[in-house]
Amino acid sequence: MEEGSPANAEKTPERPPRESSVRRLRPALEALLFSSARPVREAELVEALDAEPAAVAAALAALAEEADVPLRGVRLERVAGGWRYVTRPEHDSLLRKYHEVTERSRLSLAALETLAIIAYRQPITLPEIQDIRGVNSSSVLTTLLEKKLVTTAGRKAVVGTPFLYRTTREFLVRFGLNELEDLPKPEELDEDLAATAEATPEPGGTPAPLAAAAVSGDDGDDEESEAEDETEEEEDDEEDDGDD
């Protein structure tokens, strides 16, 4: 037999089969997700466990169902294209007291308004945002960029080539969304806000719903938005002074 023939060639070692047992995958998945500070994508879990994708998906579904009961203190949720364990909302007060958390990190109304416009109209430029809001929004946009809730998405091919802005994965995580398609429909928000306004009418009128403004392009209450923007700028100045 000639040298170099297939019979003399070195045999390639066979790759061990991927894990396919849902029963064995469940505790490993639970440990990985519990130890992660961020949502983990299924593809990452498949690679980490060298498992069959279908088995990982089945194990995740089983873990989510197992944790989705009132007697559990945590639940498994799908968010930002990944999976994570989170505490149940009814334990929020207890956890804040135990961990001595006294302040909440909240966005101002102006920031929420701007973020809603970007979320529903992305990609969108700063001039377009300002046309909708009717006020200067550069300071608010800077705050959203610093909080990594929005990011740039190239430039628009118009005069001046302004930056385009879109939401980030951190935005999905912050608001508990798996994907942008999970955003409430504007008509659903309008109905909910209208019902709330009827139950608790505001003197002087009710501000325009953010989702409606984002989709229709209607300007909200300009005076109120300007006041919010001024507050945002003052807060940013105070933070800068504190850093100095």
Side-chain angles (χ1 to χ4, degrees), residues 57-99:
L60 287 168
L63 287 172
E65 182 179 359
E66 180 183 87
D68 191 22
V69 292
L71 295 178
R72 292 290 298 272
V74 297
R75 58 188 174 87
L76 182 60
E77 70 174 10
R78 191 166 190 175
V79 64
W83 292 83
R84 69 174 178 180
Y85 273 105
V86 293
T87 55
R88 301 186 73 85
E90 54 264 35
H91 303 305
D92 179 71
S93 298
L94 170 65
L95 294 173
R96 288 185 174 277
K97 180 180 179 181
Y98 178 77
H99 293 288

Side-chain angles (χ1 to χ4, degrees), residues 96-173:
R96 288 185 174 277
K97 180 180 179 181
Y98 178 77
H99 293 288
E100 298 181 349
V101 178
T102 57
E103 296 182 359
R104 293 176 180 268
S105 177
R106 294 182 182 274
L107 293 173
S108 68
L109 181 59
L112 285 172
E113 184 178 83
T114 303
L115 188 56
I117 291 169
I118 296 172
Y120 282 95
R121 304 285 293 264
Q122 61 186 306
I124 186 171
T125 66
L126 176 57
E128 290 169 338
I129 294 171
Q130 293 176 157
D131 284 344
I132 295 172
R133 296 191 66 225
V135 294
N136 188 311
S137 303
S138 58
S139 176
V140 179
L141 184 58
T142 298
T143 298
L144 295 176
L145 287 165
E146 291 173 349
K147 293 182 179 294
K148 295 181 170 51
L149 295 174
V150 301
T151 188
T152 55
R155 292 178 178 272
K156 190 167 185 177
V158 295
V159 176
T161 60
F163 279 112
L164 288 162
Y165 296 93
R166 63 171 177 81
T167 54
T168 62
R169 192 183 185 209
E170 179 62 28
F171 163 78
L172 296 175
V173 173

